[in-house]
Amino acid sequence: TMDIDRPSVEERNQRYKPGSIKRVKLKNFLTYDDVEFFPGPRLNVVVGPNGTGKSTILCAICLGLGGQPPLLGRADDARLFIKHEKDQATIEIELAPHKSDGPIHILKRVIERDRGSENGNGKGASIYYVNGTKTPLKSIKELVTEKYHINIDNLCTFLPQDKVGNFSGFDKQALLLETEKSLSSSLYETHQQLIKLEKELQSSGNDVKATEEELKTLKKQNERLEREKELMEERQELLERIDLLKKKRAWLLFDQKREEAKEAKEKREELKKQKREAERSVRPIQEEHAEMEGKVTQIQTTTKALEVKGKREKKNHEDCLSKMENHSDGIEREVSEYQSVDAQQRRALKELEKERRRLQDVEAEVDDFPSMEDTERTITEAQKELRQLRSALDSSKRSSQDLNKQIESAAENSRRASERLGKMKDEKQHRLQRLFAKNESVKTAYMFIHENRKEFRKPVHGPIAAEVQPKNPLYASYIESHVSQSTWKAFVVECSEDYNYLFREVRQKRKIPINIILVPNGRLEPMTRMYSDQKYSVLKQEHGFIEYLDETFTAIDPIMQALISKHNIDKVLVGGDAVQESLDRKDLENFICAKENGSSKQSACFFYTHRNSSHRYTYSVSRYNGTIGLNTIDIGPARVLQSGMDPREKEQLTQIINDARETIERLTPELNNLKDENEKLLSQGKPISLRIKDAKRIKSDYASYKMKLKNQREKVEDAEEAANKDNGREKSKRIAQIKKLIQLSIKSGEDAAKAKSEMIKTLRVLTGVKMSEHGLSECLRKLTDKLSEAQAASAELLNRYKQAEADYNEKKENLRKLLAKAQEIAPREQWHERLDEDDMPSTIEDVDDAMDDAESKVSSITDNPHVMKQYEERKKKIEVLQEKLDTEGGEKDLKKKQLETKRTKWESALQNIVNLVNGKFSTYMKEVGCAGEIRLYTGGNESRENEETENLKYDFKDWGVEIMVKFREASTLQVLSAQTHSGGERSVSTIMYLMGLQNLMSSPFRCVDEINQGLDERNERLVFKRIVNNSTIPVEEGATPNDHCGQYFLITPKLLPNLEGMENEEITVLFVFSGPYNFDNCLDWNVDKFIADKKRILSQRTEVDNGNSRGKKRRSQ
């Protein structure tokens, strides 16, 4: 293996320009079954033989970003891009975000063969997704073009293989439009506006006599209101003056606080400087202090060593004295022993007699023990019986363990099945997931409520569909059909404050549709049933009704009250099969709709099921003639309230639980019988164990007796030896020991004297060292005090610096807020010139005085907006009429002025761009040994309007860009065209023009497919070098890693060997392989391993060649 230096994933991700393509995944798309590739952030060279699917990548990028097949020039129907014999193709593209932590957009397009019209162009065959959410094509295009500025319909940025010829076939006008689109949408839009304005200036004028009369009348009428209008204008001017003064005051306050912040900053910097100087002054003291500490530590180490030595010598001296004393005591003891030898002899004879009597007593105890042979026989027989019982007990225990395992296994299976069944029965979670899958707004609202629980005063419930628990699936279908879908998705609050908060935060601020139902305090109001108890009893007994709809499910009080108030579920009946018979034979309609007081009819609603078919009957009483209208609905299975459980899995789990219960019930009696048998065997074994225990105790006691007898006999022998001891020899032995102890005592005395001498010598040295230590410690103390004073001064300066910094930060934060407020009130770039004029006060006090004066004048003028409204309306009429009169003059002048303003800016920007591109294009063409220029064609009208000229003619629609080229020395510059130049010449010119535009384009990536076809080897090398240089320009110093010219895709079937620049790390080469030797999985391809293997093979080949060369040389010699 070999190590190759590559940027990390984080570094690589930072280099992507926002909108660049980070990943493309294709499935069943043209030549690909399933492929995923990851382009680099800069130049991507896509290489592979013809027909392998290189251009398919560009097709996928175009279609995946919302483009349509005609842009590719290949087909008109998106379904033609689905792989043969497949029904669906998928394109997935991941775009680089605007920020490293910003949202990542993953666009997905699914093309289905069976969707859309058979004879159409497949517009309806595609489904689009953004981050997994289904999204309309319009939103996809807005995201691509407006957010990321990607223009896949512009040949300057996206040049597929089948459109390469179209680019060089552009006339000068089309080339200008495509160039404008690729650089800036504003350039293109301004150009279109200029064309429109020029066209409008071609015609104007009409008859104005009647308009003049009307205008004269209106002017006379407005003259009467002039004075009142002037007062209103004066009042308005004062109000504007007050508003202007407020703006001025905001900026004056900002300037004042800015000076304070500046002073605080200067103070902070001064303290910072003083702090650094103090820290520098502390450093020498610290060094001197550290040096002195080292000396003190060193001498203290010496002192400790001497003290240890002195203690050791003192201990040696004391040990010698102690030995001498011990020897003296030994001498005295031996002398005493010598004198008592005869007395010991008499004591030994008495002790011998005593021990012999004890031996006789011990020997007499043997009669108390039974025969050991009988005891051994008893143990053997009892152990045999016990082994037989133990064998039977072990067999019984194994059977019990097997039964226990079976019972535990059945219990564990039952527990797992019960847990699984419990999870499946969590209807609330199932319903929430179904609701969230179909209603993103409900999910967003639910998450907001969940994350902001503390902001609500009382509990918030919902969505309602998740809070309802029907008694069975049939009742679920009844409830669901009766309650509206909006109510199922609604949330229930218990106070108006929570209602307002939820409405404001979710619907108004976040623009999320949400239904909210208010149930005050979450109380369930007392219900008044529609039918009396007597009539309800008749409906149940005679007509087949079972209960009310609100009784078919359970829910908390707030939810129940919300459903009652919204849908009257407490007034709806639920019945069974008998209801159909009542409808057919018992005139149920009149009975159920009759009011009990007999005054009139009433509406009614009920559900019932007959022959597995469910129905809802609703009777409505007409307001006009009192007749009863009937509406019937067949009820289908519930969807919102459907059970989330798989019936088959539920049945399987229930069966597992029942089987486990049956197994436990069957095996438990057997287990109990075995336990009883175990107890019986244990009771039989107890007396046998006691017999064994008693026999072993007797055996143990006999062994103890034998040991006791042996010990006593040994004591008698020892006593006999002591009584028969030779006294003369013992006395000689004592005398020899006394002599030895005297010699040892003398030697210990000499050693003690020597140790004392060494100890005194060490004490003298230690005294001198301690005096030196005292002097150094005093110096260290003084240095410590000096260092503490310096550090205290430094710490004081540090505290003052921190206070100054905190004060500066506080002033800076206040200044930021004042700036934001001032910018909000009066943006500086918009108002600074007006606010700095001489008529504006220069201090806050003057501003306040001017505002007070203006406000008093405003209050003195009565506001009469009716006069101004009347005057302004009439004035507008006058202006409209005047505008009509000035159509031939004023309107035309206005449009001319607008045209000139737009033209000046547009032409200047356009000319600058053309000059920039021209400079680069000329340089690039020189590199390939040719000449070239880029010219702005202005429609053939080089002269402009003068003061005497009435009509203006620019012909903006004819403006264009000309690519002038010269490929031979003898020729002159000519406009690039398909009629004049060869395919290779057009390719060189096209790519050099695109290279000139590259750094000016707004699109984050550009694609060019097989632009190098038709080039000779020299030009192909130069063109490739230019593409590499332009696409891998290093990022400027101080810029972000992704602040470069963008991503570039170059599609080519081949690359010449030894191309310059291929070692650049900003180049990513994507190889497209296909054929019988291809990898089963694209991830199996390892570039690093391939390079290592290639180098190894080349190295081996070189060694072989060198060996052959040496062999030939030897043979030649």
Side-chain angles (χ1 to χ4, degrees), residues 602-854:
Q602 63 181 3
S603 298
C605 180
F606 59 83
F607 291 86
Y608 75 96
T609 298
H610 179 65
R611 294 181 180 175
N612 297 325
S613 179
S614 301
H615 312 279
R616 183 178 75 176
Y617 272 55
T618 305
Y619 295 105
S620 303
V621 180
S622 174
R623 297 180 182 179
Y624 305 103
N625 53 20
T627 59
I628 299 175
L630 172 62
N631 180 28
T632 63
I633 298 176
D634 292 334
I635 307 301
R639 293 183 179 179
V640 176
L641 300 181
Q642 68 176 334
S643 173
M645 301 170 62
D646 184 347
R648 289 176 297 178
E649 187 176 1
K650 179 183 177 183
E651 184 179 347
Q652 291 173 358
L653 293 173
T654 305
Q655 184 62 42
I656 290 172
I657 295 170
N658 293 336
D659 291 346
R661 189 179 296 115
E662 181 184 340
T663 300
I664 294 170
E665 291 174 354
R666 176 172 51 80
L667 296 179
T668 300
E670 296 181 29
L671 181 62
N672 292 334
N673 292 336
L674 287 172
K675 287 182 179 178
D676 294 341
E677 184 180 344
N678 291 344
E679 292 294 332
K680 184 178 178 181
L681 290 172
L682 286 172
S683 63
Q684 292 176 3
K686 284 181 180 179
I688 299 173
S689 298
L690 288 174
R691 290 211 321 268
I692 295 173
K693 185 176 180 182
D694 291 340
K696 285 184 176 180
R697 179 181 55 76
I698 293 170
K699 187 177 178 181
S700 176
D701 290 346
Y702 182 73
S704 299
Y705 163 75
K706 290 179 70 176
M707 181 59 68
K708 181 179 177 182
L709 180 61
K710 179 183 177 185
N711 291 337
Q712 189 59 41
R713 285 174 177 167
E714 288 176 353
K715 286 180 180 180
V716 171
E717 291 174 358
D718 292 339
E720 289 175 347
E721 184 180 352
N724 297 327
K725 191 177 288 185
D726 186 358
N727 289 341
R729 190 191 306 173
E730 184 66 23
K731 288 179 180 180
S732 299
K733 182 180 178 182
R734 295 297 175 188
I735 291 170
Q737 183 65 23
I738 290 168
K739 289 179 179 179
K740 182 180 178 182
L741 288 172
I742 290 170
Q743 292 175 354
L744 291 173
S745 177
I746 294 168
K747 186 176 185 304
S748 297
E750 292 174 350
D751 291 343
K754 185 178 179 182
K756 186 175 182 181
S757 176
E758 290 294 328
M759 180 179 68
I760 292 170
K761 183 179 178 182
T762 301
L763 285 174
R764 288 198 194 100
V765 177
L766 178 62
T767 303
V769 171
K770 280 195 172 181
M771 291 176 65
S772 299
E773 180 189 352
H774 178 74
L776 290 172
S777 298
E778 182 64 22
C779 292
L780 178 62
R781 184 187 62 76
K782 291 179 181 179
L783 281 173
T784 302
D785 294 341
K786 185 178 179 182
L787 179 61
S788 299
E789 291 174 1
Q791 288 176 336
S794 178
E796 174 65 22
L797 283 172
L798 178 61
N799 290 333
R800 289 174 60 196
Y801 168 73
K802 288 181 177 179
Q803 291 174 358
E805 186 173 32
D807 180 52
Y808 169 66
N809 290 335
E810 181 181 359
K811 284 183 169 57
K812 186 168 72 171
E813 178 62 20
N814 292 336
L815 189 67
R816 185 187 64 77
K817 292 178 180 178
L818 289 172
L819 176 61
K821 184 177 180 181
Q823 284 285 21
E824 182 182 357
I825 296 173
R828 170 157 287 189
E829 62 276 3
Q830 181 180 349
W831 290 94
H832 77 280
E833 293 183 359
R834 178 66 188 93
L835 296 178
D836 291 341
E837 291 180 358
D838 295 337
D839 64 332
M840 297 300 294
S842 58
T843 65
I844 293 178
E845 292 77 11
D846 293 342
V847 169
D848 291 338
D849 293 341
M851 287 174 63
D852 292 340
D853 184 42

Side-chain angles (χ1 to χ4, degrees), residues 208-229:
V208 295
K209 278 190 177 181
T211 306
E212 287 179 347
E213 291 295 327
E214 187 179 357
L215 182 62
K216 187 176 180 182
T217 303
L218 290 173
K219 285 182 177 180
K220 287 181 180 180
Q221 291 174 348
N222 245 19
E223 287 174 0
R224 303 190 198 105
L225 297 176
E226 192 70 33
R227 176 55 189 158
E228 290 188 42
K229 186 268 297 183

Side-chain angles (χ1 to χ4, degrees), residues 129 327 440 541 600 706 781 785 794 827 1055:
Y129 300 86
H327 294 325
E440 186 67 26
Q541 295 174 7
S600 60
K706 290 179 70 176
R781 184 187 62 76
D785 294 341
S794 178
L1055 283 178

Side-chain angles (χ1 to χ4, degrees), residues 129-298:
Y129 300 86
V130 176
N131 294 339
T133 302
K134 191 174 180 179
T135 306
L137 176 59
K138 182 179 179 182
S139 300
I140 295 285
K141 289 184 175 180
E142 289 175 356
L143 175 67
V144 170
T145 57
E146 296 179 12
K147 184 175 179 65
Y148 290 110
H149 308 294
I150 299 171
N151 299 309
I152 54 175
D153 57 349
N154 187 288
L155 293 184
C156 291
T157 60
F158 194 91
L159 190 58
Q161 179 181 359
D162 296 306
K163 291 281 187 175
V164 172
N166 294 17
F167 189 92
S168 58
F170 280 151
D171 57 25
K172 57 180 71 73
Q173 289 77 22
L175 183 59
L176 174 59
L177 295 179
E178 291 298 313
T179 302
E180 286 176 327
K181 290 178 185 177
S182 67
L183 298 177
S184 169
S185 59
S186 60
L187 272 176
Y188 173 77
E189 291 168 1
T190 305
H191 190 182
Q192 299 305 309
Q193 291 170 3
L194 288 170
I195 293 172
K196 183 179 177 182
L197 278 172
E198 186 177 29
K199 187 175 181 181
E200 290 174 354
L201 284 171
Q202 301 299 323
S203 61
S204 62
N206 57 34
D207 188 11
V208 295
K209 278 190 177 181
T211 306
E212 287 179 347
E213 291 295 327
E214 187 179 357
L215 182 62
K216 187 176 180 182
T217 303
L218 290 173
K219 285 182 177 180
K220 287 181 180 180
Q221 291 174 348
N222 245 19
E223 287 174 0
R224 303 190 198 105
L225 297 176
E226 192 70 33
R227 176 55 189 158
E228 290 188 42
K229 186 268 297 183
E230 289 175 356
L231 286 174
M232 291 299 102
E233 288 178 344
E234 182 183 355
R235 187 177 186 278
Q236 183 61 34
E237 289 175 359
L238 288 169
L239 291 173
E240 292 174 355
R241 177 71 173 175
I242 292 169
D243 181 63
L244 195 61
L245 289 169
K246 289 180 180 178
K247 291 179 170 62
K248 179 68 175 179
R249 191 181 191 284
W251 283 108
L252 286 174
L253 182 60
F254 167 74
D255 292 337
Q256 178 182 332
K257 296 300 180 182
R258 182 170 58 183
E259 289 301 318
E260 293 178 6
K262 185 177 179 182
E263 292 174 2
K265 183 178 181 181
E266 292 173 353
K267 181 180 177 182
R268 183 195 69 170
E269 294 302 320
E270 179 61 28
L271 286 171
K272 186 177 181 180
K273 182 178 178 183
Q274 294 178 10
K275 178 176 75 69
R276 288 177 178 171
E277 292 176 355
E279 290 172 349
R280 281 197 295 271
S281 66
V282 169
R283 206 167 290 125
I285 301 174
Q286 287 177 329
E287 293 173 355
E288 187 178 357
H289 182 272
E291 183 181 358
M292 186 57 67
E293 274 187 335
K295 291 179 179 179
V296 170
T297 302
Q298 184 178 3

